[in-house]
Amino acid sequence: MDGTEHAPGPIGRPQNGPHGGRPQDRTRRTAQDGARDGAAPQGASPAYIRLRAVVAVARFHGLELDIHDFVADPAEASPSPASLVAWLDGQGAVARAMRISWRNLVRMSNSPPIVLLLRDGGAAIMVNTQPARNVVWLRDPLCDDNAPAVPVDHARLQRLWGGEVVLIKRRRDESEADAPIGLAWLARMVLREKRSLRDIGIASLTLSVLQIFPPLIVMQVIDRVVSYRSMSTLVSISGLLIIVSFYEVLLGYGRRELSMVLTTRIDARISLHVFARLLALPLDYFERQQAGNVLGRVMAIYKVRDFLTGRLMSTVLDLFTLVVLLPFLFMLSPALAWMTLAAAALIGLIVVVAMKPVSRMTVRQLGAERARAAVLYESVAGIRTLKTLALEPIRRQFWDEATATVIRWKLRVGRMANWPQTLATPLELFINRGIILVGAYMALKSPSAAGVGALVAFMMLGGRVAAPLVGMARLLDEVNEVMASLSEAASVLNQPTETRALTSGLRPRILGGLSFEHVTFTYPGAASPALNDVSFAVPPGTMLGLVGRSGSGKSTITRLLQGVSRSYVGSLRLDGVDLREINLTHLRRSLGVVLQDNFLFRGTIRENITAGRPGLTLEDVVRAARLAGAEDFIERMPGGYETFIEEGSTNISGGQRQRLAIARAIITDPRLMILDEATSALDPESEALVNANLERIGRGRTMVIVSHRLSSLVNCDQICVMDQGRVVDIAPHAVLLQRCAIYRALWMQQNRHVQDQPWDGPPGGPSGGPLAPVGIQP
């Protein structure tokens, strides 16, 4: 099935024909129209044709893609090869854009379909070649997969095609985006930069060799120039020293430049993967965790990043110096070289012994810092409530206690780490200062020992050799904190994600038919099920109301419909297709959801309404705002649809925010809409306005409306009454008043002031019959 065949498009748009607006708007509009209609649109733009070609070739490899997932660059009239490759890589494919000559193209007779990028911004699909006839067989991306291909020779193709192709195949192995985050994942991330690592290694090795020359030159100056007072030798050595110093400066600059590029590339890749992994986590995970705690754990990955691109990299680069200079030290004085190695080994032993107790305390310190960060995040996120209730002293007390805990553990860690530092300092001083004294003593005792020049050269080189040895030992000290930080980040980022559900599955045409068959669902950790053997069905185009007391399972039904939770028992079908088999991105983009408390992003009103489809035009925005009853107050604002909404929506009222959320939900013309207490934040006038438009909004689509105000559900085709996770009855309003005691009781509670007298009939309805059984079919 074509991944783009039946996705919803914008509301109220002509089905075929050219469209107005900016080029990228026309691209998106044409694509959405074609996707909604299930057929190729007339006058399709080259950009749409190019995307259809990529989708068709990806489908050949078993990848179902949706054109709506592609985010176009406003500066590109048609998707560039780089944009297509980046999109495909993010969708689980391996893609490569390249230029190829006709001679090589026509020889690719056994290759899978290839996307040919045409000069006009469109594309064609090459399905076969015939080298003997010197032709290639092309298929129109807008046609069906079974449509016949046409032969095209070189003369005809070169007028349309400049040599650009996109090769696509499915990724079979585990990608970095899916692999568990750990040291192996980070190592693979670094090793991907093989070329940069090779260049840095060559530069480091060359620098290490060049570092041998200055001590040798000093040795020659002392032994030959000073002893024999040779001016010509001094001039020659000075010239050599200047040349070596020049190359050392040049190579040092090059290595630093390469290291900076390498670290920034690794930093960018880690940041992109971490954020993508965070977004792929399911919603119920965030609902179970404290937001500040999650952010604190995720940010710990950047400590690991700093370690990899900072201390670790510098120490590894210093190892080149060790490898090159250590043999030279043994050549100058084996005894002094062994002393240097022994002192460095003792430093490493001290650090290794201290690792375990320091590691335990470091974990406690990180936990305390994470708890303090959670207090800070919670205080900033709830600053309005904090100020309103004058909670500053209480929150300050929480912060003081959290800070005191952090300081206490930080002091303990510092004291514990101070002991190995104190024990290692004498050994470092021996390497830097004591070696020269031992060497002088050996020179005085044995005439065959190293001379003065050799002793000075050894002192100069010994410090450079000892530095990486000591650095390696101290590196072990940082490994404790790094491993603890990595464990904290992995505890969040290695949670099961929705990646597979978001990128695979069926993409059926959504009409809105719902069918629950013996559905049971229990929240993690709950003692009783939120839904217990729920069964009902409604056809497409039904306006369904969900009512019941708090905790009866109304919102749980909407969560299951959105794919937030998929661990239910039973069968939940959408238009006859099991909901768990539907691509999650396709499902959620086919829904319009309005919650009781909706979040608006910092940006303009227009940007918030078009958040799901940034390519839609102002005409679409105005139409959606009019249906949601938001047009009047938007036009009264100074900037109209370009009015900027501050963070937290502080410059608009709750009712205005709710109407903007409704406009955002209906602008994509979804076939299935979910309104979960969507009018609860509205004033009576605004609620009346939205309710008056509900019939118009719901025309031709299925609507699931959760509301405690039964008066807003009177015109629903069906009203499902729930109690303790079960369906008590499902029928229109008038029928429920007669036969459903729970619904009648809720109605009487809310309308007692308009009733002349309470209902005094039999509990089962006018006829005294029993309540309708669970699972009644409308």
Side-chain angles (χ1 to χ4, degrees):
M1 181 179 293
D2 189 344
T4 66
E5 288 299 327
H6 303 294
I11 60 176
R13 179 170 298 136
Q15 301 298 315
N16 296 310
H19 303 291
R22 297 172 298 171
Q24 62 268 27
D25 291 342
R26 291 196 299 270
T27 299
R28 288 180 176 274
R29 292 166 64 118
T30 308
Q32 289 160 345
D33 289 342
R36 179 180 59 187
D37 299 338
Q42 299 176 6
S45 67
Y48 174 69
I49 297 173
R50 181 167 287 190
L51 289 173
R52 280 293 297 264
V54 169
V55 169
V57 174
R59 186 169 59 250
F60 173 85
H61 294 282
L63 285 169
E64 291 291 345
L65 305 182
D66 188 349
I67 287 179
H68 296 105
D69 293 338
F70 180 81
V71 179
D73 186 346
E76 296 177 353
S78 187
S80 65
S83 299
L84 293 173
V85 169
W87 177 49
L88 289 165
D89 286 342
Q91 298 293 319
V94 177
R96 183 180 178 185
M98 59 186 299
R99 284 189 173 273
I100 190 171
S101 65
W102 168 266
R103 182 179 60 182
N104 292 327
L105 181 70
V106 79
R107 293 176 180 174
M108 303 174 70
S109 56
N110 296 322
S111 64
I114 297 173
V115 179
L116 306 185
L117 304 181
L118 306 182
R119 290 193 178 96
D120 65 351
I125 302 174
M126 190 188 81
V127 296
N128 199 2
T129 68
Q130 284 186 303
R133 295 177 53 189
N134 201 33
V135 298
V136 297
W137 292 81
L138 304 182
R139 183 168 59 81
D140 187 349
L142 299 180
C143 295
D144 187 78
D145 291 347
N146 298 322
V150 295
V152 179
D153 58 18
H154 183 209
R156 292 175 58 193
L157 186 60
Q158 70 177 354
R159 293 197 298 267
L160 306 172
W161 177 65
E164 289 185 323
V165 300
V166 174
L167 307 178
I168 305 171
K169 69 175 183 178
R170 185 166 188 166
R171 184 184 293 118
R172 299 295 180 183
D173 57 339
E174 188 177 47
S175 66
E176 287 177 350
D178 304 321
I181 289 181
L183 281 179
W185 180 83
L186 290 169
R188 287 198 300 269
M189 191 79 68
V190 174
L191 293 177
R192 283 187 60 178
E193 304 293 334
K194 294 180 181 178
R195 182 176 298 179
S196 297
L197 291 173
R198 180 200 63 194
D199 295 340
I200 292 173
I202 294 174
S204 300
L205 185 62
T206 307
L207 280 173
S208 300
V209 173
L210 291 177
Q211 287 178 0
I212 298 176
F213 288 95
L216 287 177
I217 292 173
V218 171
M219 184 174 67
Q220 295 299 321
V221 168
I222 294 175
D223 292 342
R224 297 180 182 275
V225 175
V226 176
S227 299
Y228 297 100
R229 308 183 68 83
S230 174
M231 183 60 69
S232 60
T233 304
L234 178 61
V235 172
S236 300
I237 290 176
S238 300
L240 180 62
L241 183 62
I242 291 173
I243 295 174
V244 170
S245 300
F246 172 77
Y247 281 106
E248 191 171 355
V249 171
L250 189 63
L251 283 171
Y253 169 79
R255 188 179 76 167
R256 287 191 298 273
E257 181 71 19
L258 289 171
S259 299
M260 182 174 61
V261 172
L262 175 64
T263 55
T264 52
R265 288 173 63 91
I266 294 173
D267 183 18
R269 187 172 290 116
I270 290 176
S271 298
L272 293 174
H273 279 291
V274 166
F275 191 69
R277 184 75 66 92
L278 190 64
L279 293 183
L281 294 176
L283 178 60
D284 56 358
Y285 173 78
F286 293 100
E287 293 174 341
R288 298 193 307 267
Q289 302 292 328
Q290 188 179 13
N293 202 324
V294 171
L295 292 179
R297 291 176 182 270
V298 171
M299 295 304 292
I301 194 71
Y302 292 102
K303 290 185 179 180
V304 184
R305 176 206 63 188
D306 294 338
F307 173 76
L308 287 176
T309 59
R311 186 66 177 270
L312 179 63
M313 181 167 291
S314 62
T315 303
V316 170
L317 294 179
D318 288 340
L319 289 179
F320 287 99
T321 303
L322 179 65
V323 171
V324 174
L325 298 187
L326 196 58
F328 192 71
L329 286 183
F330 277 95
M331 184 181 70
L332 290 176
S333 176
L336 295 180
W338 280 116
M339 290 181 188
T340 302
L341 285 177
L346 285 176
I347 294 175
L349 180 62
I350 292 172
V351 174
V352 169
V353 171
M355 276 183 64
K356 193 168 185 179
V358 173
S359 177
R360 288 196 298 265
M361 291 190 177
T362 301
V363 172
R364 299 285 186 88
Q365 178 190 338
L366 291 176
E369 291 178 350
R370 193 171 62 249
R372 184 175 64 171
V375 173
L376 177 62
Y377 175 84
E378 191 175 42
S379 299
V380 173
I383 192 65
R384 183 180 299 178
T385 303
L386 189 152
K387 291 288 186 181
T388 302
L389 301 180
L391 300 178
E392 290 93 339
I394 298 176
R395 300 305 298 180
R396 197 179 298 119
Q397 181 180 355
F398 286 157
W399 177 259
D400 292 345
E401 292 174 355
T403 301
T405 304
V406 170
I407 297 301
R408 185 164 53 251
W409 281 111
K410 186 173 291 187
L411 186 61
R412 291 181 182 179
V413 172
R415 285 173 175 169
M416 179 62 70
N418 192 23
W419 279 107
Q421 174 71 27
T422 303
L423 295 175
T425 299
L427 296 171
E428 292 184 43
L429 294 176
F430 172 75
I431 293 173
N432 295 326
R433 305 172 189 177
I435 290 293
I436 186 66
L437 300 178
V438 175
Y441 174 78
M442 294 172 59
L444 292 175
K445 285 292 185 179
S446 175
S448 61
V452 177
L455 188 59
V456 173
F458 189 94
M459 185 183 66
M460 295 177 63
L461 291 175
R464 295 187 178 183
V465 169
L469 290 174
V470 175
M472 288 182 62
R474 294 187 182 278
L475 197 65
L476 297 176
D477 189 27
E478 293 188 20
V479 168
N480 295 311
E481 185 175 356
V482 169
M483 294 302 296
S485 299
L486 185 60
S487 176
E488 294 289 333
S491 66
V492 175
L493 300 175
N494 286 342
Q495 293 290 327
T497 66
E498 296 178 327
T499 303
R500 182 175 181 82
L502 291 168
T503 57
S504 62
L506 304 176
R507 299 175 186 264
R509 184 177 182 181
I510 303 298
L511 298 177
L514 301 177
S515 174
F516 285 72
E517 298 178 6
H518 307 291
V519 174
T520 299
F521 173 76
T522 304
Y523 287 102
S528 58
L531 295 180
N532 191 356
D533 197 29
V534 171
S535 297
F536 68 88
V538 294
T542 301
M543 186 179 292
L544 173 68
L546 292 176
V547 300
R549 302 182 180 95
S550 296
S552 59
K554 305 183 299 297
S555 295
T556 303
I557 286 181
T558 65
R559 288 170 60 87
L560 296 187
L561 290 176
Q562 297 171 62
V564 174
S565 302
R566 292 192 162 192
S567 57
Y568 55 85
V569 178
S571 175
L572 171 53
R573 296 182 178 275
L574 178 59
D575 299 318
V577 181
D578 193 311
L579 200 72
R580 284 175 285 206
E581 299 296 328
I582 299 177
N583 177 276
L584 203 53
T585 300
H586 175 70
L587 171 67
R588 290 173 179 172
R589 289 193 171 181
S590 302
L591 303 178
V593 181
V594 184
L595 305 175
Q596 182 176 3
D597 185 18
N598 293 278
F599 180 83
L600 296 183
F601 296 96
R602 191 170 184 268
T604 65
I605 288 178
R606 174 178 177 173
E607 290 170 347
N608 271 278
I609 294 179
T610 61
R613 296 287 190 273
L616 298 183
T617 63
L618 182 60
E619 177 187 354
D620 303 316
V621 175
V622 172
R623 188 178 295 109
R626 185 178 301 125
L627 278 176
E631 184 182 24
D632 291 340
F633 84 81
I634 293 176
E635 292 180 346
R636 288 196 300 268
M637 289 187 166
Y641 289 89
E642 300 303 323
T643 300
F644 199 86
I645 298 177
E646 299 294 342
E647 185 176 356
S649 310
T650 56
N651 57 334
I652 61 174
S653 68
Q656 290 172 340
R657 181 175 68 245
Q658 202 74 349
R659 280 180 278 175
L660 291 179
I662 295 174
R664 180 173 60 188
I666 64 178
I667 193 172
T668 56
D669 193 26
R671 299 295 94 190
L672 173 59
M673 283 195 66
I674 298 173
L675 281 72
D676 192 348
E677 297 290 349
T679 60
S680 61
L682 300 180
D683 57 88
E685 182 181 357
S686 300
E687 182 183 11
L689 182 62
V690 172
N691 286 336
N693 287 334
L694 276 182
E695 186 175 351
R696 187 156 53 126
I697 293 174
R699 188 176 301 129
R701 73 181 95 236
T702 301
M703 297 190 70
V704 179
I705 307 173
V706 178
S707 179
H708 286 288
R709 301 178 184 176
L710 303 189
S711 58
S712 63
L713 304 178
V714 171
N715 294 326
C716 287
D717 301 315
Q718 297 288 328
I719 300 176
C720 179
V721 183
M722 303 196 65
D723 187 52
Q724 298 182 357
R726 294 179 176 272
V727 175
V728 177
D729 201 350
I730 181 170
H733 166 73
V735 176
L736 290 176
L737 276 180
Q738 295 182 8
R739 74 184 188 189
C740 181
I742 293 178
Y743 184 83
R744 185 167 56 250
L746 293 173
W747 178 264
M748 295 297 297
Q749 290 173 2
Q750 297 182 18
N751 297 274
R752 190 178 303 276
H753 60 287
V754 297
Q755 299 293 330
D756 294 333
Q757 57 184 6
W759 175 272
D760 57 358
S767 62
L771 298 178
V774 174
I776 288 183
Q777 304 297 316

